[in-house]
Amino acid sequence: MQLGTPRAALDRLDALHQEWQQTRADLPLTARPGTPTYDDALADHDAEAWSYLDDWATHGHAVIDINTTARSTPSPLAPPPTAKPAPVADRTAPVRR
């Protein structure tokens, strides 16, 4: 199913992001970008995420296709737009009392 693959990939990417947040929090304070400890942990995270990103690159067009179709197809649930917009009150005209 075209939508099942990107959905599963997104779920897994969300889980990997949460895992990365925890991993980063567990690193020693000296582990900063550019240090082997940080860079190795990030490389492991990125390596695991690549296949799910590839799923999106391969199947994500289905989401775009659905969005394009939804925007260009009138909905039977919503009334068509009116020809004239609702009148706007003239706030510059003096008010008679």
Side-chain angles (χ1 to χ4, degrees):
M1 171 180 247
Q2 282 188 334
L3 287 179
T5 301
R7 176 63 187 184
L10 183 61
D11 289 345
R12 190 62 191 130
L13 287 167
D14 283 342
L16 286 172
H17 178 70
Q18 293 299 320
E19 290 173 20
W20 170 243
Q21 295 295 321
Q22 186 60 52
T23 298
R24 209 170 71 183
D26 292 342
L27 290 174
L29 293 176
T30 58
R32 298 280 179 228
T35 64
T37 303
Y38 184 96
D39 290 349
D40 290 347
L42 181 58
D44 290 344
H45 163 74
D46 290 349
E48 193 169 353
W50 271 116
S51 67
Y52 303 109
L53 294 170
D54 183 57
D55 287 345
W56 260 97
T58 304
H59 302 284
H61 65 85
V63 176
I64 295 169
D65 293 345
I66 290 168
N67 182 56
T68 300
T69 301
R71 289 180 171 269
S72 64
T73 305
S75 170
L77 302 176
T82 59
K84 295 185 209 176
V88 177
D90 183 5
R91 296 183 184 255
T92 61
V95 177
R96 291 181 79 194
R97 295 184 190 233

